[in-house]
Amino acid sequence: MSSSSRQVPVIVVAGFLGAGKSTLLNHLLRSSGATRIGLIINDFGAINVDALLVAGQVDGVVGLGNGCMCCTIDDDSPDGIEAIVRRLLAPAAGIDAIVIEASGLAEPRTLIRMVAGLTDPRIVYGGLVYLVDAGGFLASRRQHPELAAHIRVADLLVVNKADLLSDKPDADDLDRDTVLGAIAELNSTAPMVLTTESVVDPTMLFDPAPVREDGGPRQLSLDELLREDAHDHHECVDHRHLHDEYQSVSFQSVEPMNPRRLAVFLERPPAGTYRIKGWAHFDLPGHRGRFVLHAVGGRIRIEAASWSGEPPSTAIVVIGVGLDEEVVQTELSAAVGPDLNDEFGILSITRYFAAT
Ligand SMILES: Nc1nc2c(ncn2[C@@H]2O[C@H](COP(=O)(O)OP(=O)(O)OP(=O)(O)O)[C@@H](O)[C@H]2O)c(=O)[nH]1
């Protein structure tokens, strides 16, 4: 159990592909002071990019790759959620809160049921925090009406990427009032915080008190969910989840990449691509570090990072609908091998460095 005798809250962080869930975890890890957070990170691709990027920075990270945990986790297995939570609760770990980052395609209701169904008396369900990409929300919702149901079950709505919203009359999908109004209409009871870089006050997540208030909207929504007939794994058979439509293709190379050709891949990815994430190494003079790559609905961001003692390599996961795996592999393979005469090729990558 944790250093205190309180129950450890288990918080689920969900949200569509690229909304800012990992950014939120990183923010929590940096800003939670003495609170020790245990992380369970589920990723859709065969390479668990999110967990690999967090592991090494903190203890208590468990990665669950290759499929949404809402369908692939077997509760009774040694790798089941119950067993993982129990491991994190070992007294030596001194964990005060457990945060589960769901894959961007997970079904939040199933995750809530999964956590609420945990029997260990040392934990308490800490609520569903749902991240929304403010810039992509209206378009994603048109494509996936089921996102409305995800927002309805949230206990805390984090509307992230506020920097992409605009007050200009011709802002269309980026119009601030329209976006916020559409989200509020779906869930008027959950508190909504508008953020950039997922900067949320950690006390909004780690105070478990609101969940125990009888009769509050959180408790009611949980009760309703628990009463629903379609239970546990049967739900995966009976219902279509977002991830039924999506595929992921994973690419790895130990050979350095060609920055210019990789930038073209990110800018003009194969048909059906929505999300690209991972890291690359270019092994060029002055640019031998890790380049963390992100593309969400066509928006590209690249960050410089270190290898933290790992051997340099490239690992990229491409997620989308109707992806042709062979095309993805062929195009990424064609971007292997730097051109040492292309002195300025790296600029096609560094131009996407996030302004900080
Ligand atoms: N413009 C902008 N980009 C952001 C903001 N917050 C996060 N991002 C970027 O959005 C991209 C996706 O962020 P992640 O935190 O990896 O998103 P995620 O929800 O974990 O992604 P998946 O796990 O793939 O679903 C990254 O490039 C982030 O740097 C923000 O407030 N504004």
Side-chain angles (χ1 to χ4, degrees):
M1 189 129 159
S2 73
S3 43
S4 75
S5 58
R6 291 185 314 136
Q7 283 176 296
V8 173
V10 180
I11 298 118
V12 179
V13 173
F16 191 55
L17 291 169
K21 298 178 292 295
S22 298
T23 309
L24 174 65
L25 295 196
N26 282 317
H27 165 70
L28 293 175
L29 291 172
R30 281 194 304 267
S31 60
S32 296
T35 307
R36 283 178 64 86
I37 305 169
L39 296 178
I40 301 174
I41 302 181
N42 177 220
D43 222 342
F44 188 60
I47 309 166
N48 193 335
V49 171
D50 295 350
L52 289 167
L53 286 174
V54 176
Q57 295 178 47
V58 286
D59 301 331
V61 180
V62 184
L64 298 167
N66 216 4
C68 281
M69 68 195 295
C70 65
C71 283
T72 54
I73 286 272
D74 176 356
D75 270 358
D76 302 329
S77 81
D79 296 327
I81 190 78
E82 185 104 42
I84 292 169
V85 165
R86 215 172 293 132
R87 254 186 280 150
L88 287 173
L89 290 172
I95 296 288
D96 301 301
I98 294 174
V99 179
I100 300 179
E101 180 191 350
S103 104
L105 297 168
E107 169 54 51
R109 284 163 176 263
T110 314
L111 295 174
I112 295 171
R113 272 201 289 275
M114 197 174 72
V115 176
L118 296 175
T119 53
D120 197 307
R122 294 170 296 177
I123 56 153
V124 60
Y125 172 60
L128 176 80
V129 178
Y130 193 85
L131 272 283
V132 180
D133 175 340
F137 173 66
L138 293 177
S140 302
R141 195 194 157 184
R142 276 195 297 275
Q143 198 185 348
H144 304 296
E146 52 271 62
L147 290 180
H150 295 186
I151 287 179
R152 281 195 196 101
V153 295
D155 296 300
L156 172 66
L157 281 165
V158 179
V159 182
N160 189 38
K161 308 198 187 182
D163 54 302
L164 300 179
L165 295 178
S166 165
D167 295 322
K168 296 204 181 105
D170 59 350
D172 298 326
D173 275 359
L174 299 179
D175 178 74
R176 185 185 314 271
D177 291 344
T178 311
V179 172
L180 299 183
I183 298 166
E185 204 173 292
L186 294 169
N187 186 336
S188 58
T189 51
M192 189 200 288
V193 284
L194 187 59
T195 59
T196 52
E197 309 302 329
S198 306
V199 175
V200 176
D201 182 344
T203 59
M204 293 191 81
L205 276 75
F206 299 138
D207 181 3
V211 205
R212 296 184 192 152
E213 275 171 17
D214 288 339
R218 286 172 150 219
Q219 197 62 50
L220 273 182
S221 76
L222 180 58
D223 287 347
E224 276 164 19
L225 284 161
L226 291 171
R227 271 202 303 272
E228 276 185 12
D229 252 346
H231 267 300
D232 307 325
H233 306 296
H234 303 302
E235 160 124 342
C236 298
V237 178
D238 299 339
H239 295 251
R240 279 189 67 74
H241 289 183
L242 273 177
H243 56 73
D244 296 337
E245 282 174 55
Y246 282 78
Q247 307 129 259
S248 74
V249 180
S250 301
F251 170 87
Q252 284 177 292
S253 169
V254 289
E255 298 298 320
M257 302 296 285
N258 179 310
R260 203 178 285 277
R261 278 187 253 141
L262 186 58
V264 170
F265 179 87
L266 296 173
E267 288 157 4
R268 293 197 288 281
T273 301
Y274 183 79
R275 180 83 169 101
I276 303 172
K277 59 181 170 180
W279 57 82
H281 90 120
F282 300 110
D283 201 20
L284 291 168
H287 302 284
R288 296 212 151 86
R290 188 199 298 256
F291 287 75
V292 177
L293 316 169
H294 284 285
V296 182
R299 290 195 179 90
I300 300 167
R301 248 196 197 192
I302 297 177
E303 289 152 34
S306 78
W307 292 109
S308 310
E310 287 168 39
S313 69
T314 295
I316 296 173
V317 175
V318 180
I319 302 171
V321 178
L323 288 177
D324 184 331
E325 170 153 14
E326 209 177 306
V327 171
V328 175
Q329 295 291 357
T330 306
E331 290 191 14
L332 281 170
S333 299
V336 175
D339 176 356
L340 297 174
N341 297 319
D342 185 2
E343 201 183 336
F344 300 112
I346 194 71
L347 295 180
S348 53
I349 289 290
T350 54
R351 63 193 278 253
Y352 290 110
F353 275 175
T356 45

